Amino acid sequence: MVLFLYFYRSAILSEVQTQSSTKLPSNKSVLVLGDNASGKTTLIAKLQGVEDPKKGSGLEYAYIDVRDEYRDDVTRLGVWILDGDPGHTNLLKYALNESNYAHTLVILTLSMTTPWSWVDQLEHWIKMLDDHIAGLKIDPEERQQCRQRLVTVWQSYCDTIDELDPGSPIKRTNRLSSVDDDLDALPLPEGVLTTNLGLDVVVVVTKTDYMTTLEKELDYRDEHFDFMQQWIRRFCLVYGASLFYTSVKEDKNCDLLYKYLTHRIYGLPFRTPALIVEKDAVLIPAGWDNMKKINILYENMQSCKPDDYYNDIIAQPPSRKTVSNREIEVQTEEEQAFLSRQLQLLQQGQTPTRGESPMRSQNSAGKTSPRTPGSAGAQGSPKKVDGKLNPGTPSGEGVLANFFNSLLHKKSGSPAAAPSLAGGTGVSPRATNGAGDALVTASEKISMRTDAAMELDRLTRSVKKDLDFPAQTDC
């Protein structure tokens, strides 16, 4: 009985140990690189199932819940999103270092809204990633194991069909080759993994729904998209990368990208074959592609050749001049120059006119010219000012004349009165009983300024009425 209990307990411990060893690891992570506005945050939010993504800055951290339905296990996949600003490159050491190098997958994002910048963007991020990895103090044996793992993925890949068709005899065989198996493995296809970073790389083209806009506005044709696809597929061959065309807006390939990430990181099943029929939903897993398959795209390229320089075919369109709704900035006039000009107009017997503002010009476009303030209805010449100005009049141009005259007198600091507005005799309009210049008392100044303010307000209301109501002509 004791012996039975011993073996029973040993069996239970062995089973628990086996289950714990098959649990999903918790040290895996994804590093997302790409320019700003390439859709990094929105893409990860879609993989998380978040409806309202919040964009941060610098180096963001998030996680994706991963569930293994077969083993009823759940874990979290860490996600690092590096800002596209080159000033944040120094933060890369926190997301990719010696401790997590072997457990990190890299996503390079590009946007279909700017296909003419793909070359510069990919070259920039790959070079930055390569330089960063070269500076890490990784054990040479570990580095070699990571590189060999990528080679094995390509050598052991087998075509498969979608898991929705279980009746087909073609199945995926995930051969995890050992050292002995590598002796019989086929060599890598031409141009594959010529640069082996030791990291799983997935190139994701976002916002593929913008293809229709490129067709309508920039006259893109199928051969343009074929040229773009063959170029980026050749790039992926060099680094052993996978390729996904996605659209969060139209929900294209997002679920498949999630399944593929869990397949490459955790070994979960992925039975979806390569998809190349729909130009906006391309899916090419690592190990499937080669130059012979890429050559098929060359048949539809009539006006260009595969070896043409990319930006000669996919050129950046000329920048459009954006129409600004902002008003034209009005430059202010120096106060004394303004007052002198108004005084000169009053001396000539004309009513001072306001400068034409941009808004008034827009409102009066297509209409008759605005009437002069104070006009009775019919359009005509500016209103003449009475030569004999009465300073005591509570309203009228005399108040304005006295107001401007007092300002000029105050600013200049001269004890002499301003020239007469009536006839230029040198006698101030405020002279009384024909004797000298009268001193302006404080109460008179306040009264004069109040009258000027009232007159300016009356003129403003008059001009506003003239602008609001079109002039009526006499029958």
Side-chain angles (χ1 to χ4, degrees), residues 326-464:
R326 297 172 56 187
E327 296 182 9
I328 301 174
E329 182 179 359
V330 179
Q331 299 294 335
T332 59
E333 186 179 2
E334 201 274 333
E335 180 182 7
Q336 290 301 308
F338 168 76
L339 294 176
S340 300
R341 183 165 52 83
Q342 300 302 316
L343 178 60
Q344 183 179 5
L345 291 175
L346 291 174
Q347 289 177 338
Q348 295 175 358
Q350 298 180 1
T351 302
T353 57
R354 293 185 299 173
E356 192 69 16
S357 68
M359 183 61 68
R360 192 180 305 116
S361 300
Q362 295 174 5
N363 294 336
S364 61
K367 300 181 181 179
T368 57
S369 60
R371 292 177 295 172
T372 305
S375 60
Q379 301 179 12
S381 59
K383 182 179 179 181
K384 298 294 182 179
V385 181
D386 188 3
K388 296 181 180 180
L389 298 178
N390 185 7
T393 305
S395 62
E397 283 74 11
V399 177
L400 288 179
N402 291 335
F403 175 69
F404 291 128
N405 191 21
S406 65
L407 288 178
L408 287 174
H409 175 72
K410 180 180 179 181
K411 289 289 181 179
S412 61
S414 173
S420 172
L421 299 180
T425 59
V427 181
S428 170
R430 301 194 59 81
T432 56
N433 299 326
D437 294 340
L439 297 177
V440 181
T441 63
S443 60
E444 289 176 334
K445 289 183 179 180
I446 295 175
S447 175
M448 180 175 58
R449 292 176 181 175
T450 303
D451 294 343
M454 293 175 59
E455 178 61 14
L456 289 174
D457 184 66
R458 184 187 68 80
L459 292 176
T460 302
R461 290 197 303 269
S462 176
V463 171
K464 185 178 296 185

Side-chain angles (χ1 to χ4, degrees), residues 158-179:
C158 293
D159 287 332
T160 183
I161 62 152
D162 200 312
E163 57 184 350
L164 297 179
D165 186 9
S168 173
I170 305 178
K171 298 293 180 181
R172 168 182 290 276
T173 57
N174 290 325
R175 295 186 299 155
L176 300 178
S177 303
S178 62
V179 178

Side-chain angles (χ1 to χ4, degrees), residues 262-308:
T262 59
H263 165 68
R264 292 300 300 270
I265 297 173
Y266 300 103
L268 299 183
F270 181 79
R271 299 187 177 91
T272 304
L275 304 175
I276 56 175
V277 177
E278 298 183 20
K279 62 183 179 181
D280 59 346
V282 176
L283 187 165
I284 300 178
W288 179 86
D289 212 0
N290 54 51
M291 288 302 301
K292 186 178 294 185
K293 295 176 180 178
I294 295 177
N295 290 341
I296 300 176
L297 294 173
Y298 299 165
E299 300 175 359
N300 298 327
M301 296 164 52
Q302 305 297 330
S303 61
C304 57
K305 298 179 181 179
D307 296 330
D308 289 343

